[in-house]
Amino acid sequence: MQKLTLRMEPEQVQKAKAYAAHHGKSLSQLVADYFDSLTSAESDNETLPPLTQKLKGALRSPDTTDDENAYKKHLEDKYL
């Protein structure tokens, strides 16, 4: 493991710390994950057409847990 020093505005640091805490990660893990995603995205982009490269990551995958639970509740109410 190697130590890395970053220079950032204090406001950016506070926002990043809050984001990391909200997602149950350390700031170091958040930065490491980001760097991993950058390097993996470079190798992924080589195989994608240009338009797809521009659109990649534009949409988040929806959290379907709430929808699934609502549908199960609907079926229970209807048939039980």
Side-chain angles (χ1 to χ4, degrees):
M1 186 87 40
Q2 187 173 358
K3 186 175 181 176
L4 172 68
T5 301
L6 300 172
R7 295 186 189 277
M8 298 171 59
E9 296 294 327
E11 186 177 296
Q12 290 175 310
V13 173
Q14 291 305 317
K15 287 180 181 179
K17 284 182 178 180
Y19 180 89
H22 179 74
H23 288 86
K25 294 184 176 190
S26 68
L27 192 50
S28 293
Q29 185 61 52
L30 190 70
V31 172
D33 289 350
Y34 177 67
F35 287 159
D36 285 342
S37 72
L38 285 178
T39 55
S40 69
E42 285 179 3
S43 62
D44 290 347
N45 286 342
E46 293 173 6
T47 60
L48 297 176
L51 179 60
T52 307
Q53 287 178 11
K54 289 180 184 179
L55 295 174
K56 184 177 177 187
L59 299 175
R60 287 195 218 187
S61 59
D63 181 16
T64 58
T65 307
D66 291 337
D67 293 337
E68 289 172 0
N69 290 339
Y71 183 65
K72 287 178 185 175
K73 174 83 170 104
H74 164 74
L75 292 177
E76 286 174 356
D77 292 344
K78 185 175 181 178
Y79 294 108
L80 297 177

